[in-house]
């Protein structure tokens, strides 16, 4: 657990941090001594995410079903990191909650890249639509220009035909 690239936390029924692995400590900039025993929601979770994460905690308290959620966690310097969490209740032999365990993956960079890719895709769609419109305009211009360029040749052909008819088969 300590050398895993994932975040691991154990939180007691009162919401206090029991365990945190080195990877998460390093990513958030804390020492173990600074965070153990602290209320997880108040210490690590931005205010705007606390209510939704509190509901996840309630689910873990009441049920043995695993949970999945995303929420921001705060680094020591106040930066937000988006984490995908998989949670699970751990109960004693009598069925009482001992703690719940969370495995987290920092998806901050992945989400940033997804948003960037989405923006680029939208821009490419817009440019493609614009290019298709320009191609339609070019096709129309080509059709009109072709017609206009062929018109003098048609007039010459008609003139030659009129001359042949008026001069006859042997124009000597």
């Amino acid at each position: 657990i300590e050398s895993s690239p994932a975040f691991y936390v154990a939180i007691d029924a009162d919401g206090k941090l029991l365990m945190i692995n080195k990877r998460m400590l390093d990513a958030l900039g804390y020492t173990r001594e600074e965070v153990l025993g602290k209320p997880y929601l108040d210490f690590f979770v931005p205010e705007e995410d606390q209510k939704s994460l509190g509901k996840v905690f309630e689910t873990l308290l009441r049920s043995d079903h695993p949970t999945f959620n995303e929420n921001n966690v705060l680094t020591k310097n106040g930066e937000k990191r988006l984490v995908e969490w998989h949670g699970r209740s751990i109960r004693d032999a009598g069925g009482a909650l001992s703690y719940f365990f969370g495995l987290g993956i920092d998806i901050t960079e992945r989400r940033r890249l997804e948003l960037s890719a989405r923006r680029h895709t939208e821009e490419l769609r817009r440019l493609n639509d614009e290019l298709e419109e320009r191609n339609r305009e070019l096709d129309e211009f080509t059709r009109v220009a072709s017609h206009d360029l062929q018109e003098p040749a048609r007039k010459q052909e008609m003139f030659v035909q009129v001359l042949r008819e008026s001069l006859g088969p042997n124009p000597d």
Side-chain angles (χ1 to χ4, degrees):
I1 290 177
E2 283 300 312
S3 62
S4 171
F7 295 172
Y8 287 93
V9 294
I11 300 168
D12 70 15
D14 294 325
K16 292 187 178 156
L17 189 65
L18 297 174
M19 188 277 298
I20 183 170
N21 72 332
K22 183 170 177 10
R23 171 68 179 107
M24 187 168 176
L25 286 168
D26 290 347
L28 301 183
Y30 288 104
T31 65
R32 203 174 307 277
E33 294 73 29
E34 289 176 292
V35 298
L36 287 182
K38 301 285 189 210
Y40 184 85
L41 283 175
D42 296 335
F43 199 78
F44 289 109
V45 181
E47 191 174 328
E48 65 270 13
D49 288 352
Q50 288 181 7
K51 186 175 180 180
S52 63
L53 190 57
K55 290 178 183 178
V56 173
F57 282 14
E58 289 172 19
T59 299
L60 288 165
L61 287 169
R62 289 191 316 269
S63 130
D64 289 333
H65 296 293
T67 60
F68 173 81
N69 68 291
E70 293 177 4
N71 69 274
N72 288 297
V73 293
L74 295 171
T75 65
K76 191 173 185 175
N77 66 10
E79 178 187 344
K80 292 179 183 177
R81 305 296 300 174
L82 183 61
V83 180
E84 174 184 288
W85 288 103
H86 302 264
R88 179 72 138 176
S89 297
I90 306 298
R91 300 189 181 280
D92 64 19
L97 179 73
S98 295
Y99 59 93
F100 48 90
F101 191 75
L103 177 145
I105 300 166
D106 186 341
I107 61 170
T108 306
E109 186 63 16
R110 180 176 84 192
R111 187 57 51 86
R112 187 189 67 74
L113 291 172
E114 287 171 353
L115 291 172
S116 176
R118 197 173 300 131
R119 281 193 300 270
H120 284 100
T121 299
E122 290 169 3
E123 177 66 8
L124 286 172
R125 279 192 189 115
R126 186 191 66 73
L127 289 171
N128 189 54
D129 291 346
E130 190 175 303
L131 183 59
E132 286 176 355
E133 178 60 28
R134 298 272 197 259
N135 282 339
R136 282 190 290 276
E137 291 170 1
L138 183 59
D139 286 347
E140 178 64 18
F141 173 79
T142 303
R143 188 184 63 73
V144 169
S146 173
H147 177 270
D148 290 350
L149 290 172
Q150 290 175 11
E151 187 61 26
R154 280 194 290 276
K155 285 184 178 178
Q156 286 176 353
E157 177 80 24
M158 286 173 47
F159 181 71
V160 168
Q161 201 170 10
V162 167
L163 277 175
R164 280 189 188 142
E165 289 174 1
S166 64
L167 295 175
N170 294 321
D172 295 339

